[in-house]
Amino acid sequence: GLGFPKKEREYWQQVILGHLWKGNVNKAIEVLKELLPRCRVRSRVEELIDYLIRKRCLIPDYDERHKQWFWIASTRVEK
């Protein structure tokens, strides 16, 4: 939904996913809100922001879990 050129889109994807990997949902939401005025499909980005707000308490610090050798995927459950 960002509608940016590929390199810029990949950059912002890495930034946002980096924040989420560390469990910093608020920072990811902040970045998305800053990008909203430039978005091509604003509604899709707003949906992502709303999703992150609703699921905030369920998104752990995956980096810390990884360091402690905790399971970080749901593949066992999904199979």
Side-chain angles (χ1 to χ4, degrees):
L2 293 176
F4 298 162
K6 184 178 180 179
K7 284 201 181 264
E8 186 177 4
R9 184 177 64 242
E10 288 173 346
Y11 168 78
W12 286 114
Q13 180 180 356
Q14 284 187 322
V15 168
I16 294 163
L17 291 177
H19 291 309
L20 293 174
W21 177 255
K22 293 187 176 277
N24 196 344
V25 179
N26 290 336
K27 187 62 180 170
I29 291 170
E30 193 177 297
V31 170
L32 287 166
K33 284 182 177 180
E34 288 175 12
L35 294 173
L36 267 178
R38 297 179 48 211
C39 291
R40 183 182 51 159
V41 186
R42 186 180 174 108
S43 62
R44 290 178 69 191
V45 178
E46 289 171 338
E47 286 175 19
L48 176 56
I49 292 170
D50 291 341
Y51 174 84
L52 292 172
I53 290 170
R54 285 192 322 271
K55 303 295 183 178
R56 179 184 320 203
C57 64
L58 301 174
I59 300 173
D61 181 341
Y62 290 102
D63 187 44
E64 187 60 35
R65 289 181 61 82
H66 181 72
K67 288 175 186 173
Q68 296 180 15
W69 294 90
F70 289 147
W71 193 260
I72 60 170
S74 60
T75 51
R76 284 187 190 168
V77 176
E78 292 171 0
K79 286 184 180 185

